[in-house]
Amino acid sequence: MSKELLEFSASANGDKWYLEYENETAEPTVIHQANAASGGAETKWSVVSFLQVAGDHPEGQALRKALAKARPLQAEADSDLSIVKGNAATVYPWTAKTKVGDD
């Protein structure tokens, strides 16, 4: 099983945030690596859980951008799959919520 890490944010104090892809079918995982002064602890989150906690913070915004960039790449990878008929809508949990009346 191959793992791919994509750094999507780094703070001035040395903390880093990564998106980990374990394989093509699994949902990515967010990894927070604390700076050395804090002990360098590593914490793993699901994308949804991370955005519930840090969604409005710079790290959450950076994650949304990284996922938006990764989405077209995933669509290209899925293009060999059979076509789904119908008018299906896809809602991603990491997309920013809109205010009522912003249609």
Side-chain angles (χ1 to χ4, degrees):
M1 178 184 315
S2 65
K3 292 184 182 183
E4 181 182 340
L5 288 178
L6 168 69
E7 182 179 324
F8 65 86
S9 186
S11 68
N13 72 354
D15 284 7
K16 294 185 180 186
W17 289 263
Y18 300 91
L19 216 66
E20 178 183 55
Y21 294 93
E22 290 196 25
N23 59 41
E24 294 176 8
T25 59
E27 184 173 325
T29 303
V30 175
I31 298 175
H32 169 246
Q33 186 174 24
N35 62 40
S38 298
E42 193 174 275
T43 308
K44 290 189 176 189
W45 303 67
S46 72
V47 170
V48 174
S49 296
F50 181 80
L51 288 174
Q52 287 174 340
V53 173
D56 293 331
H57 298 270
E59 297 81 23
Q61 294 168 5
L63 175 59
R64 283 191 180 95
K65 288 179 186 177
L67 290 168
K69 287 180 184 178
R71 200 176 316 146
L73 297 176
Q74 183 62 38
E76 289 176 17
D78 292 343
S79 65
D80 292 338
L81 302 176
S82 61
I83 298 173
V84 177
K85 295 181 181 180
N87 190 11
T90 303
V91 177
Y92 297 96
W94 53 81
T95 55
K97 296 179 182 177
T98 58
K99 296 178 185 176
V100 175
D102 283 353
D103 297 322

PDB file of all heavy atoms in Angstrom, residues 81-88:
ATOM      1  N   LEU A  81     -13.706   4.731 -15.547  1.00  0.00           N
ATOM      2  CA  LEU A  81     -14.822   3.994 -14.977  1.00  0.00           C
ATOM      3  C   LEU A  81     -16.064   4.183 -15.833  1.00  0.00           C
ATOM      4  O   LEU A  81     -16.144   5.095 -16.649  1.00  0.00           O
ATOM      5  CB  LEU A  81     -15.083   4.475 -13.546  1.00  0.00           C
ATOM      6  CG  LEU A  81     -13.895   4.339 -12.589  1.00  0.00           C
ATOM      7  CD1 LEU A  81     -14.244   4.935 -11.240  1.00  0.00           C
ATOM      8  CD2 LEU A  81     -13.501   2.880 -12.432  1.00  0.00           C
ATOM      9  N   SER A  82     -17.059   3.361 -15.619  1.00  0.00           N
ATOM     10  CA  SER A  82     -18.284   3.469 -16.406  1.00  0.00           C
ATOM     11  C   SER A  82     -19.018   4.768 -16.085  1.00  0.00           C
ATOM     12  O   SER A  82     -18.931   5.302 -14.985  1.00  0.00           O
ATOM     13  CB  SER A  82     -19.195   2.265 -16.120  1.00  0.00           C
ATOM     14  OG  SER A  82     -19.545   2.256 -14.763  1.00  0.00           O
ATOM     15  N   ILE A  83     -19.763   5.247 -17.047  1.00  0.00           N
ATOM     16  CA  ILE A  83     -20.490   6.506 -16.901  1.00  0.00           C
ATOM     17  C   ILE A  83     -21.744   6.260 -16.082  1.00  0.00           C
ATOM     18  O   ILE A  83     -22.476   5.293 -16.296  1.00  0.00           O
ATOM     19  CB  ILE A  83     -20.855   7.072 -18.285  1.00  0.00           C
ATOM     20  CG1 ILE A  83     -19.574   7.377 -19.059  1.00  0.00           C
ATOM     21  CG2 ILE A  83     -21.743   8.292 -18.162  1.00  0.00           C
ATOM     22  CD1 ILE A  83     -19.805   7.786 -20.497  1.00  0.00           C
ATOM     23  N   VAL A  84     -22.014   7.152 -15.166  1.00  0.00           N
ATOM     24  CA  VAL A  84     -23.220   7.071 -14.345  1.00  0.00           C
ATOM     25  C   VAL A  84     -24.293   7.886 -15.032  1.00  0.00           C
ATOM     26  O   VAL A  84     -24.094   9.060 -15.347  1.00  0.00           O
ATOM     27  CB  VAL A  84     -22.952   7.619 -12.922  1.00  0.00           C
ATOM     28  CG1 VAL A  84     -24.231   7.601 -12.109  1.00  0.00           C
ATOM     29  CG2 VAL A  84     -21.868   6.821 -12.255  1.00  0.00           C
ATOM     30  N   LYS A  85     -25.439   7.275 -15.259  1.00  0.00           N
ATOM     31  CA  LYS A  85     -26.536   7.983 -15.914  1.00  0.00           C
ATOM     32  C   LYS A  85     -27.384   8.687 -14.874  1.00  0.00           C
ATOM     33  O   LYS A  85     -27.474   8.270 -13.741  1.00  0.00           O
ATOM     34  CB  LYS A  85     -27.392   7.002 -16.716  1.00  0.00           C
ATOM     35  CG  LYS A  85     -26.635   6.391 -17.869  1.00  0.00           C
ATOM     36  CD  LYS A  85     -27.508   5.467 -18.651  1.00  0.00           C
ATOM     37  CE  LYS A  85     -26.702   4.857 -19.795  1.00  0.00           C
ATOM     38  NZ  LYS A  85     -27.499   3.941 -20.587  1.00  0.00           N
ATOM     39  N   GLY A  86     -28.000   9.762 -15.295  1.00  0.00           N
ATOM     40  CA  GLY A  86     -28.874  10.512 -14.393  1.00  0.00           C
ATOM     41  C   GLY A  86     -28.277  11.861 -14.080  1.00  0.00           C
ATOM     42  O   GLY A  86     -27.230  12.241 -14.595  1.00  0.00           O
ATOM     43  N   ASN A  87     -28.950  12.579 -13.233  1.00  0.00           N
ATOM     44  CA  ASN A  87     -28.518  13.929 -12.872  1.00  0.00           C
ATOM     45  C   ASN A  87     -28.072  13.916 -11.419  1.00  0.00           C
ATOM     46  O   ASN A  87     -28.736  14.460 -10.556  1.00  0.00           O
ATOM     47  CB  ASN A  87     -29.674  14.915 -13.097  1.00  0.00           C
ATOM     48  CG  ASN A  87     -29.213  16.345 -12.971  1.00  0.00           C
ATOM     49  OD1 ASN A  87     -28.019  16.612 -12.925  1.00  0.00           O
ATOM     50  ND2 ASN A  87     -30.158  17.264 -12.918  1.00  0.00           N
ATOM     51  N   ALA A  88     -26.948  13.292 -11.175  1.00  0.00           N
ATOM     52  CA  ALA A  88     -26.441  13.180  -9.805  1.00  0.00           C
ATOM     53  C   ALA A  88     -25.673  14.437  -9.426  1.00  0.00           C
ATOM     54  O   ALA A  88     -24.931  14.993 -10.220  1.00  0.00           O
ATOM     55  CB  ALA A  88     -25.533  11.960  -9.684  1.00  0.00           C
TER      56      ALA A  88
END
